[in-house]
């Protein structure tokens, strides 16, 4: 028997506020110029947002408006939060991408004339069959808790009328000797709230509501028992929160974004980065591979690593680890060799296969980039054309809408191909 714990945070957590702003700016630029090169970092604190980074694009966007709309959507709309959409200051400090990086990433300019990786590094993808999402149970349950709190705050506020945007959750799963989840050992929930009573009465009300309203909606009853431990707002009070309580930065919740500490992480953040950055695109591709391998029955658990050199298109290595759970008569090295044949892991191929030049990233910036349900939604795009009429230049704007796929890396579209390759 052993215990494993993962945490999640809500969209109102200061680091997630920063992630969502960075990805909203990225989406706005991709909606006008799909070839935008964006590395956008955001800092949020009391009454202030700072946006910085390297951006090369033909798009023209009002960054301050995007910032305010994102904050409003999250729910920071009251002056008492000390961080509010309409009144916060917005500072923008952006310059263009380094030409030394661009020459290795632009197609036709790199060493091998293909689109190279935007940086060196290693990326990981992981999957397990212990949940329907093919995600580690501790993280899946943690995500569900804070996502449900957000849903109640936005659509059923009468149930918990004191809720504010910031929240954190943490779930500990007890595993048996067979490495299978047996029960939920501990649940930790901290949710920001209005000051509506004495400290003691507030804690009692919030504890009761979490146990009776939130938990039954998101965690299967067979995983809970009389011995499950609960820590609800363990400090006793959580009124001051969000960017007023803590400074938030883009990229500080990379473990929440991925697998909750299961498997491995290469260290690169996702939000605010266009898909030429393999930190993001290759991590999505590795998850796609791992999920399809597990869904195909190759193993109960799978970790995929891919590594790159900056400016070089072909990965320097691909590694697969099934943790001894493989169901096929192939070594992990042999599985990795077949993966390299089935999945083209050059940056351009990943971008095309997963359709990553679309404005799809705001949806990823809270509640995890992995384990999400793929869906299609109509998105409005804008193109800008400069025409000359005599000596006068005119800017013409064209808008159009088209359906766009989200979370393509979660699709189980390679399962049959994998089964055929492995003859199962």
């Amino acid at each position: 028997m052993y215990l494993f714990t993962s945490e999640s945070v809500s969209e109102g957590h200061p680091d997630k506020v920063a992630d969502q702003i960075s990805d909203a700016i990225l989406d706005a630029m991709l909606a006008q110029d799909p070839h935008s090169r964006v590395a956008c970092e955001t800092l949020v604190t009391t009454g202030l947002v700072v946006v910085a980074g390297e951006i090369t694009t033909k798009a023209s966007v009002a960054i301050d408006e995007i910032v305010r709309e994102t904050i409003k959507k999250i729910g920071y709309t009251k002056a008492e939060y000390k961080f509010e959409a309409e009144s916060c200051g917005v500072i923008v400090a952006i310059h263009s991408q380094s030409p030394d990086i661009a020459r290795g990433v632009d197609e036709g300019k790199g060493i091998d004339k293909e689109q190279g990786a935007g940086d060196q590094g290693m990326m990981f993808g992981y999957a397990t069959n212990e949940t329907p999402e093919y995600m580690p149970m501790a993280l899946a349950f943690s995500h569900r808790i804070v996502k449900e709190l957000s849903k109640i705050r936005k659509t059923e506020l009468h149930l918990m009328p004191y809720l504010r945007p910031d929240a954190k959750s943490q779930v500990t799963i007890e595993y048996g000797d067979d490495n299978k989840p047996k029960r939920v050992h501990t649940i930790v929930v901290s949710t920001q709230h209005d000051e509506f009573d004495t400290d003691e009465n507030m804690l009692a009300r919030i504890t009761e509501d979490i146990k009776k309203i939130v938990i039954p909606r998101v965690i299967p009853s067979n995983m809970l028992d009389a011995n499950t431990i609960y820590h609800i707002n363990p400090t006793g009070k959580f009124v001051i929160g969000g960017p007023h309580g803590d400074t938030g930065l883009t990229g500080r919740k990379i473990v929440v974004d991925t697998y909750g500490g299961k498997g491995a992480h290469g260290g690169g953040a996702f939000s605010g980065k266009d898909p030429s950055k393999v930190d993001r695109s290759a991590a999505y591709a590795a998850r796609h591979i791992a999920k399809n391998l597990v869904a195909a029955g190759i193993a109960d658990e799978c970790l995929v690593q891919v590594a790159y050199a900056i400016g070089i298109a072909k990965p320097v290595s691909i590694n697969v680890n099934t943790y001894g759970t493989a169901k096929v008569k192939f070594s992990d090295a042999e599985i990795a060799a077949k993966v390299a044949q089935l999945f083209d892991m050059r940056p351009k191929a990943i971008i095309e296969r997963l359709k990553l030049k679309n404005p799809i990233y705001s949806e990823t910036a809270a509640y995890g980039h992995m384990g999400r349900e793929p869906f299609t939604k109509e998105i409005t795009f804008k193109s800008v054309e400069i025409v000359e009429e005599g000596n006068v230049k005119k800017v013409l704007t064209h808008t159009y809408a088209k359906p766009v796929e989200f979370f393509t890396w979660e699709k189980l579209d390679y399962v049959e191909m994998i089964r055929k390759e492995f003859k199962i």
Side-chain angles (χ1 to χ4, degrees):
M1 187 273 285
Y2 66 93
L3 304 176
F4 191 86
T5 302
S6 295
E7 72 159 351
S8 184
V9 298
S10 74
E11 67 205 80
H13 185 281
D15 293 330
K16 279 287 135 203
V17 173
D19 283 344
Q20 288 166 93
I21 290 171
S22 291
D23 271 338
I25 292 168
L26 169 63
D27 278 352
M29 292 179 174
L30 290 175
Q32 292 185 38
D33 176 9
H35 305 297
S36 296
R37 293 285 167 78
V38 180
C40 181
E41 311 292 344
T42 302
L43 177 149
V44 294
T45 187
T46 304
L48 180 65
V49 177
V50 179
V51 178
E54 299 78 47
I55 296 177
T56 301
T57 184
K58 295 178 182 178
S60 176
V61 301
I63 289 178
D64 63 326
E65 292 180 13
I66 295 168
V67 168
R68 296 185 194 284
E69 184 59 34
T70 303
I71 295 169
K72 182 179 178 181
K73 183 179 177 182
I74 292 168
Y76 286 109
T77 56
K78 297 180 181 179
E80 63 197 85
Y81 297 158
K82 304 295 178 68
F83 180 83
E84 185 263 332
E86 297 301 327
S87 63
C88 68
V90 179
I91 297 174
V92 180
I94 288 172
H95 59 276
S96 60
Q97 183 184 55
S98 160
D100 291 346
I101 294 175
R103 69 192 297 266
V105 180
D106 292 343
E107 191 172 9
K109 295 182 181 180
I111 294 172
D112 54 10
K113 304 304 179 185
E114 293 187 74
Q115 179 178 334
D119 202 351
Q120 69 175 46
M122 63 284 186
M123 298 84 213
F124 291 90
Y126 175 83
T128 172
N129 59 12
E130 65 188 35
T131 64
E133 303 99 314
Y134 292 92
M135 291 289 285
M137 185 174 286
L139 181 63
F141 287 179
S142 295
H143 281 327
R144 292 179 196 177
I145 290 170
V146 285
K147 199 168 185 178
E148 190 64 26
L149 281 169
S150 176
K151 178 185 173 185
I152 291 170
R153 178 171 58 86
K154 292 182 175 182
T155 65
E156 300 176 277
L157 188 58
H158 63 283
L159 296 176
M160 301 173 73
Y162 49 80
L163 288 178
R164 290 185 174 184
D166 197 357
K168 299 181 77 171
S169 62
Q170 185 174 285
V171 176
T172 300
I173 300 296
E174 181 181 312
Y175 286 78
D177 294 334
D178 58 356
N179 290 323
K180 301 295 183 183
K182 299 301 179 187
R183 58 184 289 272
V184 174
H185 180 277
T186 302
I187 296 173
V188 182
V189 180
S190 295
T191 182
Q192 187 188 13
H193 58 88
D194 293 336
E195 193 153 14
F196 59 89
D197 206 331
T198 65
D199 291 359
E200 185 177 300
N201 288 344
M202 286 192 297
L203 180 59
R205 167 74 187 275
I206 294 168
T207 299
E208 181 180 17
D209 288 349
I210 295 291
K211 287 183 176 181
K212 291 187 176 181
I213 299 172
V214 179
I215 299 302
R217 292 185 177 193
V218 295
I219 296 183
S221 58
N222 66 315
M223 294 299 295
L224 302 166
D225 58 38
N227 294 319
T228 298
I229 300 167
Y230 293 87
H231 296 296
I232 311 298
N233 279 21
T235 63
K237 187 176 181 180
F238 186 7
V239 173
I240 299 171
H244 178 51
D246 287 293
T247 298
L249 294 170
T250 300
R252 277 209 303 209
K253 285 292 174 281
I254 58 177
V255 171
V256 172
D257 286 343
T258 52
Y259 308 104
K262 279 269 186 159
H265 198 296
F270 301 155
S271 289
K273 296 179 180 178
D274 76 86
S276 73
K277 281 74 171 173
V278 284
D279 276 345
R280 182 167 218 162
S281 54
Y284 291 166
R287 161 64 178 176
H288 185 227
I289 294 168
K291 184 177 181 180
N292 277 268
L293 286 172
V294 172
I298 302 302
D300 291 334
E301 184 180 11
C302 183
L303 181 72
V304 176
Q305 184 205 54
V306 58
Y308 293 89
I310 187 169
I312 305 300
K314 189 176 179 181
V316 300
S317 68
I318 296 177
N319 178 272
V320 172
N321 183 357
T322 62
Y323 302 93
T325 69
K327 307 298 183 184
V328 292
K329 294 180 179 179
F330 294 91
S331 68
D332 285 355
E334 290 170 330
I335 295 172
K338 288 186 176 294
V339 163
Q341 294 173 4
L342 289 171
F343 295 87
D344 189 341
M345 293 298 284
R346 292 173 298 170
K348 183 180 178 182
I350 291 173
I351 290 168
E352 291 177 350
R353 179 166 71 248
L354 300 181
K355 304 173 184 176
L356 298 181
K357 284 192 174 183
N358 285 316
I360 58 174
Y361 298 105
S362 292
E363 293 282 349
T364 71
Y367 310 114
H369 294 243
M370 318 301 178
R372 307 287 292 275
E373 190 68 29
F375 65 92
T376 300
K377 183 170 70 173
E378 194 167 85
I379 297 293
T380 299
F381 291 79
K382 183 166 72 172
S383 62
V384 178
E385 180 185 7
I386 299 176
V387 297
E388 291 190 20
E389 294 182 2
N391 295 322
V392 179
K393 289 185 178 181
K394 290 187 177 181
V395 178
L396 301 180
T397 301
H398 307 280
T399 59
Y400 60 96
K402 71 174 183 179
V404 171
E405 292 185 73
F406 289 73
F407 298 103
T408 52
W409 51 93
E410 293 295 322
K411 294 170 67 174
L412 296 176
D413 50 353
Y414 272 67
V415 168
E416 293 307 317
M417 192 182 302
I418 289 169
R419 287 174 176 164
K420 183 177 179 181
E421 180 67 26
F422 284 89
K423 297 180 172 60
I424 59 173

